[in-house]
Amino acid sequence: MVGAIAFSGKAIIVKLAYRHGVDAVTLIMFRMLFALPFFVIMAAWASRGKPPLTRRDWLGVIGLGISGYYLASFLDFAGLAYITAGLERLILYLTPTLVVALGWFLYRRRITKVQAFGMFISYVGVLAVFGQEARLAGSGVVWGVFLVFLSAISYAIYLVYSGEMVARLGSIRLVGLATSVACICCILQFLVLRPLSAAFEVAPQVVWLSVLNAVLCTVVPVLLTMMAIERIGSAMVSQTGLIGPLSTVLMGVWLLDEPFTTGIALGTVLVIAGIFVFTRAGVRSSG
């Protein structure tokens, strides 16, 4: 639960940082710059006594790092400039449904009727919140939703293709290596698109918020989630993660003064209920 809440706090910190005039390219660079040493240490620790990576392994790690962490993170940060933290978290919470949809499209894996029903409920909930936010904030919401949805698709692609790599390298080693690749990509992106002096022109609050984002909302949730999976299993962790969207909505209202109407509340409940039905169906069908 702590991991789910901490990870959900990422959107809150990003929205707070945007108040100081920083852009997505610079903001994600700072986040990844401060997170990089932790992920390098994680990868090195998990690689002890293991055989070195082959060329094929490195290509897989680079591809997964770009899809699952670089593109997904950058698109998410960019989308948050246009939509509320609550709507962002609800869209990202659709990722399991996208994984199943990709499995059906790529491998013709069956989608059960209960799973389809849960997906339907979730997407109706997101549409309800989107409609409310578009009415309150204007047309920019459409672009923000599109970017965050692309982020969810990018991370779903990572999840679909990471299974073989996890079996071969181990989850901690793969996460450490792939996130290190993503960190380097974000830093290089900044160096290509922005002058180096731009890093020294940001408000001090942006730097400290980025440190908090890197440690509390990036590294800590990864470690806590891995520890939780080891102790209670992935199915229970998935169910416990339902607290994530709700915590983001509540923190958004409390810390960012984001609107919380009846329509937003109803949409949030529908998304959480739909994902609960969807994940429960997935557990039963796999069992």
Side-chain angles (χ1 to χ4, degrees), residues 67 72 92 95 98 102 146 148-158:
S67 171
L92 292 183
T95 299
L98 296 173
L102 285 171
F146 177 69
V148 175
F149 191 69
L150 286 180
S151 170
I153 293 175
S154 182
Y155 192 68
I157 292 172
Y158 163 82

Side-chain angles (χ1 to χ4, degrees), residues 1 4-5 8 89 93 235-246:
M1 290 177 66
I5 294 172
S8 298
R89 180 51 42 191
Y93 214 66
M236 183 63 72
V237 169
S238 176
Q239 296 298 321
T240 306
L242 289 169
I243 195 174
L246 181 60

Side-chain angles (χ1 to χ4, degrees), residues 198-265:
F200 301 97
E201 296 172 356
V202 299
Q205 294 91 331
V206 172
V207 177
W208 290 113
L209 286 169
S210 296
V211 171
L212 188 63
N213 197 349
V215 178
L216 184 62
C217 302
T218 305
V219 177
V220 170
V222 168
L223 295 176
L224 290 178
T225 300
M226 289 178 178
M227 292 167 62
I229 290 174
E230 182 181 4
R231 287 162 174 77
I232 62 177
S234 58
M236 183 63 72
V237 169
S238 176
Q239 296 298 321
T240 306
L242 289 169
I243 195 174
L246 181 60
S247 65
T248 304
V249 171
L250 294 178
M251 285 189 289
V253 174
W254 174 38
L255 297 172
L256 303 174
D257 294 323
E258 292 185 346
F260 189 68
T261 64
T262 303
I264 293 175

Side-chain angles (χ1 to χ4, degrees), residues 120-141:
F120 173 76
I121 296 173
S122 298
Y123 282 84
V124 168
V126 168
L127 287 174
V129 178
F130 165 71
Q132 287 285 307
E133 192 155 319
R135 182 175 61 83
L136 295 172
S139 58
V141 173

Side-chain angles (χ1 to χ4, degrees), residues 85-216:
L87 179 55
E88 177 259 5
R89 180 51 42 191
L90 294 179
I91 296 171
L92 292 183
Y93 214 66
L94 298 175
T95 299
T97 70
L98 296 173
V99 171
V100 170
L102 285 171
W104 171 82
F105 179 75
L106 296 172
Y107 308 113
R108 291 296 182 264
R109 293 172 182 164
R110 187 172 67 94
I111 300 177
T112 68
K113 292 181 179 179
V114 178
Q115 284 179 314
F117 179 63
M119 293 170 70
F120 173 76
I121 296 173
S122 298
Y123 282 84
V124 168
V126 168
L127 287 174
V129 178
F130 165 71
Q132 287 285 307
E133 192 155 319
R135 182 175 61 83
L136 295 172
S139 58
V141 173
V142 177
W143 179 238
V145 167
F146 177 69
L147 290 173
V148 175
F149 191 69
L150 286 180
S151 170
I153 293 175
S154 182
Y155 192 68
I157 292 172
Y158 163 82
L159 293 176
V160 168
Y161 286 105
S162 64
E164 179 187 354
M165 293 290 292
V166 169
R168 191 159 66 248
L169 302 182
S171 60
I172 297 180
R173 190 182 188 189
L174 177 60
V175 168
L177 290 170
T179 47
S180 296
V181 168
C183 290
I184 293 171
C185 287
C186 291
I187 294 170
L188 290 176
Q189 175 182 257
F190 172 81
L191 294 176
V192 171
L193 299 178
R194 301 286 186 273
L196 185 60
S197 59
F200 301 97
E201 296 172 356
V202 299
Q205 294 91 331
V206 172
V207 177
W208 290 113
L209 286 169
S210 296
V211 171
L212 188 63
N213 197 349
V215 178
L216 184 62

Side-chain angles (χ1 to χ4, degrees), residues 44-95:
W45 180 82
S47 298
R48 295 176 305 163
K50 303 287 180 63
L53 271 64
T54 64
R55 180 174 178 273
R56 179 190 172 195
D57 291 334
W58 275 115
L59 289 174
V61 166
I62 292 172
L64 292 175
I66 290 174
S67 171
Y69 295 102
Y70 164 62
L71 277 178
S73 296
F74 177 68
L75 291 168
D76 181 37
F77 272 51
L80 273 167
Y82 302 94
I83 63 175
T84 62
L87 179 55
E88 177 259 5
R89 180 51 42 191
L90 294 179
I91 296 171
L92 292 183
Y93 214 66
L94 298 175
T95 299

